């Protein structure tokens, strides 16, 4: 017996849903809903199971995204994507690693649901416009226009200077070493003067309610020594895990010109359930 196409493509389907939603928990719910629909399909009528399943997951994710966009308006403090533990191998696929990075997922949050779906399917998974049109319920011509607008929107907000994997890793290691010592000057040395810290506690963990701007303020917030700091791979990039007084936080960094320019810190415990086993992502 051949393996069910849903099982064969599960990693891809999860990645599509996760990139559209920024939440592993919601992505898993979407996969469950999609599986139930797939179970009722006459497989003999499906010529391309992969494309069919991606369309199904996209539609379910769009429905979920429209619901979530309302609930996120009531979220306590800043909202950040749910971090995923990944293996270093994910970084080998540069486009996949960039697309699932916390920085990119944060940018995608600024797109409307349909724009986000079109951008993810076209730019990340390279789906033809005709297939995307079927998934989002628009004409191919309209999808082309949406894709162009979404590309321009994302390009204006993504990091300005591409950074090599080795440079990213070196800067992250310096930053984590500074966190371990808690020395103010070491933190200042590794951060850009206009660094921004965005923290997500969700009302369940202590976190700055608004973004914190400037190296001096950020360094003073981070300069503590009573914690355990470990290096991990999150969302396809080197990152950090911080444990203090029984609390855990995941820290992802944006690096430009050898300095940390943005810090994403997730402390909401409901978003930290995927830090023990690497997620299986695929394009």
């Amino acid at each position: 017996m051949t393996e069910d196409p849903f099982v064969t493509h599960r990693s891809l389907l999860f990645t599509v849903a996760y990139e559209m939603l920024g939440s592993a928990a919601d992505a898993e719910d979407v996969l469950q809903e999609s599986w139930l629909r797939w179970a009722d399909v006459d497989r003999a009528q499906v010529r391309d199971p992969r494309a069919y399943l991606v369309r199904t997951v996209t539609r379910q994710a769009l429905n979920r995204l429209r619901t979530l966009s309302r609930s996120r308006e009531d979220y306590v403090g800043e909202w950040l994507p749910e971090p995923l533990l990944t293996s270093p191998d994910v970084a080998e696929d540069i486009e996949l690693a960039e697309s699932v990075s916390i920085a990119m997922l944060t940018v995608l949050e600024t797109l409307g649901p349909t724009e986000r779906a079109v951008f993810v399917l076209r730019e990340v998974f390279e789906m033809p416009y005709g297939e995307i049109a079927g998934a989002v319920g628009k004409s191919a011509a309209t999808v082309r226009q949406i894709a162009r607008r979404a590309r321009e929107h994302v390009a204006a907000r993504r990091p300005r200077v591409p950074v090599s994997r080795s440079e990213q890793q070196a800067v992250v290691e310096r930053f984590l070493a500074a966190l371990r010592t808690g020395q103010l000057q070491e933190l200042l040395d590794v951060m850009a003067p206009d660094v921004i810290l965005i923290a997500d506690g969700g009302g369940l963990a202590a976190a700055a309610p608004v973004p914190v701007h400037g190296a001096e303020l950020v360094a003073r917030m981070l300069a503590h020594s009573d914690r355990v700091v470990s290096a991990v791979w999150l969302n396809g990039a080197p990152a950090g895990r911080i444990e203090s007084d029984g609390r855990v936080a995941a820290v992802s960094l944006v690096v430009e010109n050898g300095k940390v320019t943005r810090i994403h810190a997730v402390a909401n415990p409901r978003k930290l359930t995927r830090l023990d086993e690497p997620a299986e992502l695929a394009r």
Side-chain angles (χ1 to χ4, degrees), residues 145-265:
Q145 294 175 342
I146 294 172
R148 177 181 54 77
R149 290 198 304 269
R151 277 195 300 271
E152 292 172 353
H153 181 97
V154 170
R157 291 162 176 79
R158 74 200 321 170
R160 296 180 296 275
V161 183
V163 178
S164 69
R165 176 175 167 180
S166 58
E167 181 183 354
Q168 174 87 11
Q169 193 156 7
V171 175
V172 170
E173 288 174 357
R174 283 181 59 205
F175 179 82
L176 296 180
L179 281 184
R180 290 189 188 99
T181 64
Q183 294 298 310
L184 187 66
Q185 189 57 51
E186 291 182 16
L187 285 166
L188 288 170
D189 289 343
V190 76
M191 295 189 298
D194 58 350
V195 66
I196 300 172
L197 167 65
I198 302 173
D200 178 346
L204 301 174
V210 296
V212 180
H213 296 257
E216 191 73 32
L217 280 175
V218 172
R220 291 190 183 284
M221 288 186 66
L222 298 178
H224 305 289
S225 58
D226 56 339
R227 59 194 166 197
V228 177
V229 179
S230 53
V232 294
W233 283 81
L234 298 177
N235 294 66
R241 174 184 174 130
I242 303 172
E243 298 179 55
S244 177
D245 296 328
R247 299 187 300 271
V248 176
V251 177
S252 175
L253 307 174
V254 175
V255 173
E256 296 179 58
N257 298 317
K259 299 282 188 177
V260 175
T261 58
R262 190 170 292 254
I263 304 166
H264 296 112

Side-chain angles (χ1 to χ4, degrees), residues 42-55:
D42 180 0
R43 311 293 171 82
Q45 303 299 313
V46 179
R47 287 181 293 181
D48 185 345
R50 180 183 184 275
Y52 183 94
L53 288 167
V54 169
R55 284 198 302 272

Side-chain angles (χ1 to χ4, degrees), residues 259-280:
K259 299 282 188 177
V260 175
T261 58
R262 190 170 292 254
I263 304 166
H264 296 112
V266 179
N268 183 344
R270 293 177 180 171
K271 293 185 177 183
L272 299 175
T273 62
R274 297 295 184 117
L275 300 185
D276 294 323
E277 184 175 347
E280 294 185 11

